[in-house]
Amino acid sequence: MKLKSIIAMAVSFFILITPVHAFLPIEGRAAILIDQGEGTVLFAHNEHERMFPAGLAKIMTAIIVLDFLDPQEVIVIGNEILNIPSGALMSGHQIGEHITVHNLLRGLMIRNGNDSGAVLALNTVRRERNNNNVPYVNAIQIFSNLMNERAAELGALDTNFTNPNGLHNDELFTTAYDLAIIARAFMQIPLLAEIAAETVFTGSGLDGYLGDMYAFADAFVVQHNWVEVNELVIGGPFFFPHATGIRSGTTPQASDNVAASATFDDVQLIAIVFYSPDPGRWNDATMLFNYGFATYSYFDVVESDQHIETVHIANAVLGEEDTVDITAVGGFRALFSQEQFDSIESYIVFNELLLYTPDLDPETDLPPEPTDYITLLAPIFENDVVGSITFTLGGQILFTTDLIAQSTVEARTLDTDMDFYIALVIETLFSRTALPYWIAGVGTMTGLTGIILAVRERRKRHPWYGRTMRKY
């Protein structure tokens, strides 16, 4: 990475989602590959083109259900299941059946059951409205509104739901980009991620119920045997060993779609493929995953407490340390290709109130020669924020974090200067290096004293020594 020091005030930051324009021979009309962790777009093809989602709409249905219903709640199925058109995929629910919300979600996601979606939507709306008499037709409209509101909250702004199942409607549409956002939100809910990875459910509607079973001793339960149809996870010629879900969907108008997730090492990816007739959707998803895992890895752009730079202090106390180490407060780890990581640049922004600006030369009125290091002004105290560091890729800001001082540097004063020079004199006079000078000085004084004494002794022996000169 390239590091540049720029003198300026602090700047705000945000993470941008940047599509990568690699060439992949995708068969589908629209496709996208994103990093599940940060939502970064790794590949995109017609990602903003409106498409019919078919059964992929159930991904949003599951999210909305868990906003209002507890997975352990037991629901009694009513006439709402009679509203599903003939020929649509069904989980096989029966009127009067007792089943948990958890198992209804399994019917929705594993079996792709439209009757499961109808039951969940009706009961969700009745809970949301606190009214057990909301008619089914009204509930579907209300539930669709809830789906659209949540889509907008997530940032899926080119999406419109008209029912919880994805049964075709010309006004029911989304985009690969929007559905990737929705699928990412789905996979962030542990229960839904767990269900998405299940390939089979065999048991009654009350299997796994943790409440008082005596309360349902005479309950009508139905045995179910649901098998996933997403061929990326169930084995066979299109099995992808790292696949973890999520949902496939098909209608005549939508053709064959898939929302798929996969994990390899610590990389989690989501691939959306629209209008890719079988086996195109499985091949496309596999191609996207292979590309993603081969090209991208997680890199630590900066670590928390990482040393960033050592800066000079212009007015540090004489004799004391005149530099200070600065470190990053926060860390940033994200998915990049090696080429992207090598292209990341960073710049440091120091608090201008701490920056040292030398006086101009009065004769030339020109600034002093620039130095290759930054100089700050004391006092600076340990853990003081002295600036920030920003990381960019292709001119787009990735991350910004504060920089703090790792030690205290006091400011130089007249008193500290006096103390320094007094200590310097004392140290100089009594240091080992001064010993030869002391010896020479003592020898010189001794010699001079000897000469003086010798002269005086000689004078004493002179005949006229001590006589008074007589004036004539």
Side-chain angles (χ1 to χ4, degrees):
M1 291 180 294
K2 304 171 185 176
L3 179 63
K4 298 184 289 186
S5 294
I6 296 180
I7 300 172
M9 291 299 289
V11 294
S12 60
F13 71 97
F14 54 93
I15 298 175
L16 294 177
I17 295 177
T18 307
V20 176
H21 299 288
F23 172 75
L24 294 176
I26 297 296
E27 296 182 41
R29 289 188 183 176
I32 195 169
L33 179 71
I34 71 167
D35 163 36
Q36 183 178 317
E38 297 294 333
T40 306
V41 177
L42 309 179
F43 173 85
H45 168 65
N46 295 333
E47 70 274 24
H48 296 296
E49 183 176 336
R50 287 184 176 181
M51 308 296 295
F52 298 127
L56 304 190
K58 295 180 174 73
I59 296 172
M60 179 60 87
T61 296
I63 295 173
I64 301 301
V65 167
L66 290 182
D67 284 343
F68 299 96
L69 300 179
D70 188 295
Q72 285 294 305
E73 286 188 55
V74 175
I75 288 175
V76 179
I77 292 176
N79 294 333
E80 62 271 13
I81 60 175
L82 302 178
N83 290 276
I84 305 302
S86 61
L89 278 173
M90 305 285 277
S91 296
H93 298 302
Q94 299 182 37
I95 296 173
E97 174 187 355
H98 288 65
I99 187 170
T100 63
V101 170
H102 188 164
N103 287 333
L104 278 167
L105 286 169
R106 283 175 162 145
L108 180 77
M109 299 305 298
I110 298 175
R111 174 56 184 160
N112 199 5
N114 292 289
D115 49 349
S116 299
V119 175
L120 287 167
L122 175 62
N123 284 273
T124 296
V125 169
R126 287 179 173 177
R127 176 63 54 79
E128 188 265 343
R129 293 300 168 98
N130 195 26
N131 179 359
N132 288 329
N133 295 314
V134 177
Y136 175 77
V137 174
N138 293 357
I140 294 304
Q141 181 60 56
I142 295 170
F143 191 87
S144 298
N145 291 339
L146 293 174
M147 296 171 75
N148 292 326
E149 289 170 6
R150 174 55 69 85
E153 291 172 4
L154 292 173
L157 303 179
D158 199 10
T159 291
N160 185 65
F161 294 106
T162 59
N163 62 63
N165 299 310
L167 295 172
H168 182 73
N169 184 308
D170 286 343
E171 296 302 314
L172 195 165
F173 56 82
T174 188
T175 67
Y177 179 89
D178 282 9
L179 195 64
I181 294 174
I182 295 168
R184 178 171 175 251
F186 175 98
M187 293 299 289
Q188 289 173 337
I189 301 172
L191 177 65
L192 297 182
E194 177 185 306
I195 292 173
E198 294 177 342
T199 58
V200 174
F201 173 78
T202 301
S204 77
L206 293 182
D207 275 10
Y209 177 63
L210 301 177
D212 181 9
M213 287 299 297
Y214 290 104
F216 300 100
D218 299 322
F220 173 41
V221 295
V222 176
Q223 293 293 316
H224 295 288
N225 184 21
W226 298 321
V227 178
E228 176 62 66
V229 295
N230 179 352
E231 296 196 37
L232 295 172
V233 298
I234 61 173
F238 304 108
F239 176 69
F240 187 73
H242 308 299
T244 58
I246 305 174
R247 167 77 275 129
S248 59
T250 300
T251 64
Q253 298 84 354
S255 185
D256 296 321
N257 308 331
V258 67
S261 60
T263 299
F264 180 70
D265 288 340
D266 60 347
V267 178
Q268 297 176 303
L269 303 179
I270 292 175
I272 309 295
V273 177
F274 278 121
Y275 212 103
S276 186
D278 282 344
R281 57 178 164 180
W282 316 124
N283 292 331
D284 286 349
T286 297
M287 186 188 308
L288 289 170
F289 286 141
N290 283 334
Y291 163 76
F293 291 132
T295 306
Y296 293 90
S297 301
Y298 276 102
F299 290 90
D300 288 305
V301 176
V302 62
E303 297 181 16
S304 178
D305 300 324
Q306 179 179 328
H307 176 268
I308 299 299
E309 193 164 314
T310 299
V311 297
H312 293 254
I313 307 300
N315 60 333
V317 174
L318 291 177
E320 300 293 333
E321 184 62 54
D322 64 351
T323 63
V324 62
D325 291 332
I326 57 174
T327 60
V329 173
F332 177 60
R333 176 179 172 85
L335 204 66
F336 298 101
S337 67
Q338 185 66 55
E339 181 181 359
Q340 287 175 326
F341 181 71
D342 292 340
S343 299
I344 292 175
E345 295 185 342
S346 62
Y347 61 87
I348 295 175
V349 177
F350 286 102
N351 183 341
E352 65 179 13
L353 297 178
L354 297 176
L355 286 168
Y356 168 65
T357 304
D359 294 332
L360 298 182
D361 186 331
E363 296 182 1
T364 63
D365 199 31
L366 294 174
E369 289 296 320
T371 62
D372 59 354
Y373 55 82
I374 295 297
T375 304
L376 301 182
L377 291 172
I380 293 175
F381 299 99
E382 184 177 0
N383 293 325
D384 270 0
V385 175
V386 298
S388 64
I389 185 168
T390 297
F391 297 88
T392 65
L393 176 61
Q396 297 178 335
I397 295 175
L398 297 173
F399 179 69
T400 296
T401 186
D402 286 337
L403 297 174
I404 61 174
Q406 288 299 296
S407 58
T408 295
V409 181
E410 299 286 353
R412 176 182 177 183
T413 65
L414 179 60
D415 287 341
T416 63
D417 282 3
M418 291 292 292
D419 292 341
F420 170 77
Y421 287 117
I422 291 172
L424 181 63
V425 170
I426 294 173
E427 180 183 356
T428 302
L429 290 176
F430 296 100
S431 66
R432 179 175 296 180
T433 56
L435 183 59
Y437 299 100
W438 277 106
I439 294 172
V442 170
T444 301
M445 292 299 296
T446 302
L448 289 174
T449 301
I451 292 171
I452 293 171
L453 291 175
V455 170
R456 291 186 63 184
E457 186 63 32
R458 184 174 181 178
R459 290 180 63 191
K460 286 180 182 181
R461 292 196 299 268
H462 198 278
W464 48 260
Y465 179 78
R467 296 180 181 178
T468 303
M469 298 295 290
R470 178 177 295 180
K471 184 174 181 182
Y472 293 95

